[in-house]
Amino acid sequence: MSSGPKFPPAMQEWVTSQFQKMQKFPPAMRDAAREEMKKIIAHAYSTGTMLSIPWSTVQLTSLNESDPLKNLKRKTTDHAEGPPKKVQLTNNSFVPSVKPLKTNVFEDDARTRREKRFQREALIEQNRNLNTNHHTVMVSGMSVGGSLGARMQGFAHSHHHVPWGHVAESVPDANVIDWDKYTIVGRSTSIFKNYLRLTSDPDPKDIRPLSVLRQTLEQLKQRWRSEGNYNWVCDQFKSLRQDLTVQRIKNEFTVQVYEIHARIALENSDLVEFNACQAMLRTLYELGLPGKREEFLGYRILYMLHGRNRADLNFLVSQLTPQEKELPAVQHALKAHMAMATGNYHQFFALFLVAPNMGGYIMDHYVDRERCGALITMAKSYRSLPLRLLQTELGYESDELPKLLDFLTKHSANVFTNPNAPDIEKHVACSAVIQTLIQVQSQKYAKVGIKGSV
């Protein structure tokens, strides 16, 4: 947390109002106003007059221009009209060519400030690369980082030898949140706690520390195996995740929590919670934390097939490395993607039956959509289709004939050429169901209900 001084509200309001006022001025004038503002604040800090100055009456001389566009108009006029009108040729005698005088000192000043700013940004970036593990970047002997007070404190100790042209940062917006200030460590010892959406600052006495959260996870896994009450377990997992978030805990345990919750959500067809978990897992994996990245990368591809988001899916596939494409879960998802893209329903349903990990739970959400499309394709090619063939081609297990009949009924395709025959011997009358299937497909699968982060 920052240990810098507190700045008076009147001063913060003045800074905010001046920044808003700058927006209607050209960039060069805004730069000059920022430099002037820095000097005023630094002087008030070093002399201890921050509380006594009537900030509402302080004016920036750089912004006293009555017409913000005056300088811009002057530059346009200078370029359009060429030499000054006062320069007149008195005769037609030969006059040697000379360089035109610089008539726009304002533009030169702006260029100089831009060059200094570029140099300053390059130095900041260089120091950031050298100090990636530090919260503070040192530039020209000044500390950059932390709150406004910390930066002004650094200026107070070094302003006598550091020119303002080399100040690392401008005065920040007073409304920017200092997250370090709100990081807490919980003190609650309760193993279980109901999830409640926060409407105020979290209280440490209601937040469980990491040691207690580890016990909570073990208890939740046991409760899930013994009782299987998803609503209660999901509520407890959301509460656990909330306690991790407010304490800014991001480690291997955090990855484990989100992975377990995502799997339980998949098992219960809860795509909302699954999406929330996989979105956070992407961030955690990018931080280099260990986990089942291969497994959830495959889930992500399979889920994007559900949403039929081709642009994002193609971009994701293009970002995969050759090593990632060889991973079993990812390779399976890519084959399913290719099968759907080429209309190869036979391969798609074969992949559906052998989905690794919990990929089948994701494919369950759109397998009926693909079955409907495959049945339409087959109905256009045959006069009748035996149920024995459909059971194999549409990805049903050998004992799932009742599920096939239920699918045909829900899609108004339970019209048979031999209705009195045993179920396994029945044939679907293709000509009688083709138009109905097309209509059901357009009504039932035209839109995909996606909730949560993808």
Side-chain angles (χ1 to χ4, degrees):
M1 296 179 61
S2 174
S3 58
K6 298 293 184 180
F7 286 85
M11 173 182 169
Q12 297 182 18
E13 293 177 2
W14 176 76
V15 171
T16 303
S17 64
Q18 295 303 316
F19 272 115
Q20 293 174 350
K21 185 177 180 181
M22 291 179 196
Q23 300 309 311
K24 62 181 181 179
F25 288 86
M29 294 188 68
R30 291 201 295 268
D31 292 340
R34 291 192 190 100
E35 297 297 325
E36 183 181 355
M37 185 186 298
K38 292 175 186 176
K39 295 180 181 180
I40 294 175
I41 295 176
H43 181 268
Y45 175 80
S46 60
T47 57
T49 58
M50 290 188 299
L51 297 176
S52 60
I53 293 179
W55 290 101
S56 60
T57 63
V58 177
Q59 298 294 328
L60 297 178
T61 57
S62 303
L63 301 182
N64 284 340
E65 184 70 61
S66 59
D67 183 5
L69 299 180
K70 181 177 180 180
N71 291 291
L72 181 62
K73 292 176 181 177
R74 184 169 66 249
K75 287 193 289 185
T76 304
T77 304
D78 293 341
H79 287 290
E81 296 180 0
K85 292 182 178 180
K86 293 182 180 180
V87 179
Q88 299 290 339
L89 295 179
T90 57
N91 55 54
N92 295 329
S93 59
F94 172 77
V95 179
S97 61
V98 294
K99 278 189 174 182
L101 295 176
K102 293 183 178 179
T103 60
N104 198 336
V105 180
F106 184 87
E107 184 176 1
D108 295 337
D109 293 340
R111 185 182 300 108
T112 302
R113 282 191 293 271
R114 283 197 298 272
E115 292 175 355
K116 291 181 179 180
R117 186 171 70 253
F118 294 153
Q119 294 173 359
R120 186 165 64 247
E121 292 174 352
L123 185 57
I124 292 173
E125 183 64 26
Q126 180 181 359
N127 287 343
R128 182 180 293 116
N129 294 335
L130 294 176
N131 301 278
T132 54
N133 294 327
H134 296 280
H135 295 288
T136 304
V137 179
M138 301 301 298
V139 180
S140 300
M142 293 185 59
S143 176
V144 182
S147 66
L148 173 63
R151 285 193 295 277
M152 289 297 102
Q153 185 177 8
F155 170 78
H157 291 293
S158 59
H159 73 279
H160 60 281
H161 62 82
V162 179
W164 275 103
H166 293 82
V167 174
E169 282 189 2
S170 60
V171 178
D173 189 341
N175 295 322
V176 174
I177 299 175
D178 181 3
W179 291 111
D180 289 332
K181 178 180 179 181
Y182 297 100
T183 301
I184 63 175
V185 177
R187 300 194 299 266
S188 174
T189 58
S190 301
I191 300 296
F192 300 118
K193 184 183 74 172
N194 292 333
Y195 171 75
L196 294 174
R197 189 179 298 275
L198 292 176
T199 57
S200 60
D201 293 342
D203 191 337
K205 69 181 179 61
D206 298 325
I207 305 300
R208 295 162 292 185
L210 181 59
S211 58
V212 177
L213 294 177
R214 293 184 185 276
Q215 301 177 38
T216 300
L217 179 60
E218 294 301 321
Q219 292 290 329
L220 285 177
K221 291 192 291 186
Q222 295 179 12
R223 288 286 190 94
W224 173 245
R225 286 192 292 264
S226 61
E227 300 177 10
N229 185 346
Y230 176 70
N231 290 332
W232 181 83
V233 169
C234 180
D235 183 77
Q236 292 298 318
F237 263 103
K238 291 170 67 176
S239 176
L240 195 161
R241 286 161 40 193
Q242 185 183 67
D243 286 358
L244 290 172
T245 300
V246 297
Q247 296 178 93
R248 300 176 67 187
I249 299 176
K250 292 183 179 180
N251 54 21
E252 189 172 354
F253 174 74
T254 309
V255 175
Q256 186 181 7
V257 169
Y258 278 91
E259 287 179 344
I260 293 175
H261 192 188
R263 296 189 188 102
I264 294 176
L266 278 181
E267 190 174 348
N268 290 270
S269 301
D270 188 351
L271 291 184
V272 175
E273 290 304 323
F274 168 75
N275 285 333
C277 291
Q278 80 154 350
M280 177 56 70
L281 284 171
R282 288 176 55 201
T283 302
L284 296 174
Y285 292 148
E286 289 174 357
L287 295 176
L289 296 174
K292 304 296 183 180
R293 185 176 183 276
E294 169 196 345
E295 175 186 349
F296 281 86
L297 181 55
Y299 293 160
R300 179 166 170 76
I301 297 174
L302 291 177
Y303 184 78
M304 296 181 88
L305 293 176
H306 172 39
R308 294 188 290 197
N309 192 336
R310 296 181 181 178
D312 288 348
L313 180 57
N314 291 335
F315 177 76
L316 173 61
V317 173
S318 68
Q319 299 300 308
L320 297 177
T321 64
Q323 292 77 14
E324 289 175 331
K325 292 181 180 179
E326 294 300 322
L327 298 173
V330 178
Q331 195 173 64
H332 171 271
L334 292 177
K335 288 181 178 179
H337 169 43
M338 181 60 66
M340 289 181 59
T342 58
N344 189 346
Y345 57 82
H346 177 83
Q347 183 183 15
F348 174 81
F349 293 118
L351 292 168
F352 168 68
L353 294 175
V354 296
N357 302 316
M358 301 184 70
Y361 287 99
I362 300 178
M363 300 177 77
D364 280 339
H365 288 274
Y366 55 93
V367 68
D368 279 353
R369 180 188 71 199
E370 300 305 314
R371 283 170 175 161
C372 183
L375 185 56
I376 291 175
T377 301
M378 288 187 282
K380 291 179 178 179
S381 305
Y382 298 92
R383 292 183 178 180
S384 64
L385 291 167
L387 294 189
R388 193 186 304 274
L389 173 66
L390 292 179
Q391 186 174 356
T392 302
E393 288 298 313
L394 297 182
Y396 289 100
E397 300 283 358
S398 58
D399 59 345
E400 292 184 336
L401 181 60
K403 291 185 178 181
L404 171 59
L405 292 172
D406 183 60
F407 167 79
L408 295 175
T409 301
K410 289 181 178 179
H411 292 76
S412 302
N414 56 338
V415 180
F416 307 102
T417 58
N418 52 343
N420 297 323
D423 289 343
I424 195 64
E425 301 295 334
K426 289 181 179 179
H427 288 64
V428 175
C430 295
S431 60
V433 302
I434 181 64
Q435 294 301 324
T436 304
L437 279 172
I438 294 175
Q439 184 177 2
V440 170
Q441 183 188 45
S442 63
Q443 294 176 351
K444 195 170 185 178
Y445 303 115
K447 296 182 179 180
V448 182
I450 300 295
K451 296 182 179 180
S453 303
V454 178

